[in-house]
């Protein structure tokens, strides 16, 4: 009888543990995965998206970023608050992470980004991040997408931001890497390997030239890539549960001084998407609650059988 009582108590303890885990899951496991696309200065709009998600207490379980999306994603996942990101965005300019140079690979080096990132990021490696992050880059020689999820943070972010024609490629492990937008314009697909949460994609679709035409070579290059990306967006859109597109059409790619307006555009787009995101979370809570109830029923049955 003593042995039977011990078995019963063990089963009951096991049942309490399952119920506790299920309760924790119901309260904390619901969330989303966030894919942040490129857009140079227009990427400041991502901060507005993050701001709304924080204000609405919507958990972000994983992030993937391309180009400026990688930079903002790394900063946020390292522990910077939205307020800190807003403060940095209000002061940052092209000169803080780029230096003009002359090379067959491009017209500028983003070597200065090393100092910038080291001063901004609160951790130095992927493993130390408070939220899991994937950073997308592109192999210059093969065109293959390269996704970083471990090791040092700074160089992968630099590589992801190495816009071809403008910035020099970044060499990592013997490979010349350039902007991730060529392989993952909006990095939704890497998130499918990281999480089962719904994927919210933020795309910064905008023209690089106004009615007056291109101002310089970079406008020409940028507009060509924008056209190519729009024609080849099927894959990343298919991997997203929802795509939001902040209206950044009035801003140029280098409009860093208009951070407030860009952040506001991100807020507006994210608030419009909130009803759909809340549906996801409600569905997830319902699924976890059913799992919890089933576990409780199974445990109860086990206890009764032993008694």
């Amino acid at each position: 009888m003593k042995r039977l009582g011990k078995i019963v108590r063990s089963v009951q303890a096991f049942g309490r543990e399952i119920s506790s885990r299920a309760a924790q899951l119901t309260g904390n496991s619901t969330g989303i995965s966030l894919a942040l696309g490129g857009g140079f200065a227009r990427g400041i709009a991502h901060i507005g998206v993050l701001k709304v998600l924080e204000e609405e207490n919507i958990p972000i379980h994983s992030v993937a970023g391309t180009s400026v999306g990688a930079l903002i994603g790394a900063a946020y996942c390292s522990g910077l608050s939205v307020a800190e990101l807003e403060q940095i965005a209000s002061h940052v300019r092209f000169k803080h992470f780029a230096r003009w140079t002359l090379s067959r690979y491009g017209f500028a080096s983003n070597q200065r980004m090393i100092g910038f990132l080291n001063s901004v990021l609160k951790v130095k490696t992927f493993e130390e991040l408070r939220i899991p992050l994937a950073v997308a880059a592109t192999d210059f020689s093969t065109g293959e997408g390269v996704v970083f999820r471990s090791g040092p943070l700074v160089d992968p972010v630099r590589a992801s931001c190495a816009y071809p024609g403008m910035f020099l490629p970044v060499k990592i492990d013997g490979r010349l890497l350039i902007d991730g937008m060529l392989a993952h314009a909006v990095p939704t697909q890497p998130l499918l390997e990281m999480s089962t949460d719904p994927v919210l994609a933020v795309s910064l679709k905008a023209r690089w030239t106004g009615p007056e035409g291109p101002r310089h070579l970079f406008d020409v290059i940028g507009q060509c890539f924008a056209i190519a990306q729009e024609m080849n967006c099927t894959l990343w859109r298919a991997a997203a549960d929802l795509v939001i597109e902040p209206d950044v059409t009035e801003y140029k790619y280098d409009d860093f001084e208009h951070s407030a307006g860009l952040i506001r555009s991100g807020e507006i787009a994210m608030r419009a998407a909130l009803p759909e995101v809340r549906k996801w979370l409600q569905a997830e809570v319902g699924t976890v609650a059913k799992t919890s109830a089933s576990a409780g029923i199974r445990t109860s049955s086990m206890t009764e059988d032993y008694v």
Side-chain angles (χ1 to χ4, degrees):
M1 290 295 293
K2 286 184 179 180
R3 185 178 179 185
L4 180 60
K6 186 175 180 180
I7 292 172
V8 170
R9 287 192 297 273
S10 296
V11 172
Q12 289 173 333
F14 178 66
R16 287 192 297 271
E17 176 67 16
I18 289 178
S19 298
S20 175
R21 293 281 180 89
Q24 290 174 7
L25 284 171
T26 303
N28 301 318
S29 74
T30 57
I32 65 170
S33 290
L34 189 61
L36 304 176
F40 217 68
R42 295 167 180 143
I44 294 172
H46 291 319
I47 299 173
V49 173
L50 292 168
K51 185 176 183 178
V52 172
L53 290 172
E54 273 202 358
E55 289 174 352
E56 298 297 324
N57 296 314
I58 295 173
I60 302 170
H61 287 172
S62 55
V63 177
T66 287
S67 198
V68 65
L71 194 159
I72 290 175
Y76 185 72
C77 292
S78 78
L80 267 73
S81 67
V82 167
E84 288 174 310
L85 287 173
E86 287 183 288
Q87 181 69 13
I88 292 169
S90 68
H91 291 95
V92 73
R93 297 294 184 269
F94 183 83
K95 65 181 181 181
H96 292 127
F97 49 80
R99 177 175 55 83
W100 295 113
T101 186
L102 186 60
S103 166
R104 58 181 174 168
Y105 288 115
F107 290 93
S109 165
N110 67 8
Q111 193 77 13
R112 285 182 180 172
M113 193 177 284
I114 296 175
F116 175 77
L117 289 171
N118 281 332
S119 68
V120 167
L121 298 179
K122 295 195 173 184
V123 301
K124 304 304 179 187
T125 67
F126 282 86
E127 289 79 5
E128 297 173 280
L129 294 169
R130 68 184 181 93
I131 299 173
L133 172 71
V135 169
T138 306
D139 188 303
F140 180 72
S141 299
T142 67
E144 176 188 3
V146 181
V147 179
F148 293 91
R149 297 192 186 91
S150 62
L153 272 169
V154 171
D155 279 349
V157 173
R158 285 180 59 224
S160 187
C161 293
Y163 196 86
M166 178 180 289
F167 290 117
L168 277 58
V170 174
K171 183 176 282 190
I172 301 178
D173 296 332
R175 304 173 80 176
L176 281 179
L177 301 177
I178 55 176
D179 203 307
M181 66 171 183
L182 294 172
H184 296 286
V186 182
T188 54
Q189 291 169 295
L191 286 173
L192 300 182
E193 301 172 14
M194 298 172 64
S195 171
T196 58
D197 292 310
V199 174
L200 174 64
V202 186
S203 174
L204 303 172
K205 177 182 174 182
R207 292 173 56 86
W208 277 63
T209 60
E212 71 282 1
R215 297 169 297 165
H216 41 59
L217 175 62
F218 300 134
D219 276 355
V220 175
I221 295 172
Q223 183 64 7
C224 290
F225 277 117
I227 293 169
Q229 288 172 31
E230 187 61 25
M231 297 297 290
N232 295 280
C233 64
T234 305
L235 286 177
W236 71 257
R237 284 184 179 274
D241 292 278
L242 180 64
V243 178
I244 66 172
E245 296 180 315
D247 184 3
V248 293
T249 52
E250 68 178 278
Y251 302 101
K252 298 182 178 67
Y253 80 93
D254 54 355
D255 272 348
F256 291 99
E257 65 272 20
H258 293 114
S259 62
L262 285 162
I263 290 171
R264 191 159 50 250
S265 69
E267 290 182 68
I268 292 170
M270 188 62 243
R271 290 209 173 276
L274 280 176
E276 184 65 25
V277 173
R278 288 199 179 101
K279 286 181 185 178
W280 296 348
L281 302 183
Q282 290 168 359
E284 286 186 82
V285 168
T287 300
V288 173
K290 287 180 180 179
T291 302
S292 172
S294 297
I297 291 171
R298 287 196 299 271
T299 304
S300 176
S301 298
M302 289 168 63
T303 304
E304 291 170 0
D305 287 344
Y306 275 106
V307 174

